[in-house]
Amino acid sequence: MAAIRLWFAALTRREQRLVGVAGTLTAFLVAIFGIFLPVLSTIDQAKIDHDEAVQRHGRIIATVDAAQQQETGPRSTATADIDLLITQSAAEKGFDLIKSGNSAPGQVSFRIDQARAPALLVWLTELEGQNVAVRSVALRPGANSTVTVDAQLQMSAP
């Protein structure tokens, strides 16, 4: 340490300032790129991992619920009105349906502006277990990792 002090003292005033500025800039860059940015990256990754875990949890719960419903016996939704069935089921899953009025009897066409793709696909799979066939579905990417959905469903024979 004494050798560094002697070296620094031997420098001219201008060289001492330049070495001081270089040291300050080096410390600043190390703080930014060595500490601050890695911490922010870790926080962002933790948020993404948490969101994926919540979605996985929802899929697991939906799968368990579907398995428990299958164990309880046959469903009586085959004769239910498809509009009522789809509307109630979507509301339970948190989807906001926008229905179109040009559907044939036993069919329903709808649009969902924002939906998480995994949750939507689990919901459509559950509906197929309730004798509702998917005639067509179009998924378009939306904001915040969501999709916009246009779908047409039809009641099928049990």
Side-chain angles (χ1 to χ4, degrees):
M1 189 73 170
I4 294 174
R5 285 187 192 173
L6 286 175
W7 169 79
F8 189 76
L11 296 175
T12 65
R13 188 79 168 142
R14 181 177 178 194
E15 290 172 336
Q16 288 177 349
R17 285 188 198 143
L18 287 174
V19 169
V21 168
T24 303
L25 285 175
T26 302
F28 179 72
L29 290 174
V30 166
I32 294 291
F33 292 107
I35 299 170
F36 188 67
L37 289 179
V39 167
L40 289 180
S41 176
T42 303
I43 290 171
D44 287 342
Q45 187 60 43
K47 288 178 183 177
I48 291 169
D49 291 346
H50 180 262
D51 188 39
E52 289 173 359
V54 168
Q55 289 181 16
R56 239 184 346 263
H57 181 260
R59 286 193 301 268
I60 291 169
I61 288 177
T63 303
V64 169
D65 288 345
Q68 287 176 344
Q69 287 178 357
Q70 287 177 352
E71 291 174 2
T72 59
R75 295 185 183 97
S76 61
T77 58
T79 59
D81 182 31
I82 190 166
D83 285 334
L84 181 63
L85 175 67
I86 300 301
T87 303
Q88 285 180 345
S89 179
E92 289 173 2
K93 298 296 180 185
F95 298 120
D96 294 326
L97 293 182
I98 302 170
K99 290 185 191 172
S100 67
N102 58 356
S103 297
Q107 295 180 0
V108 64
S109 297
F110 61 86
R111 176 183 178 99
I112 301 174
D113 286 328
Q114 288 187 344
R116 296 266 183 195
L120 174 78
L121 296 175
V122 167
W123 176 60
L124 291 174
T125 303
E126 289 175 5
L127 289 175
E128 286 178 342
Q130 298 176 8
N131 298 324
V132 176
V134 178
R135 290 195 57 194
S136 67
V137 65
L139 303 175
R140 288 181 305 284
N144 299 328
S145 302
T146 62
V147 293
T148 300
V149 182
D150 288 309
Q152 187 175 21
L153 306 179
Q154 176 179 358
M155 204 68 157
S156 61

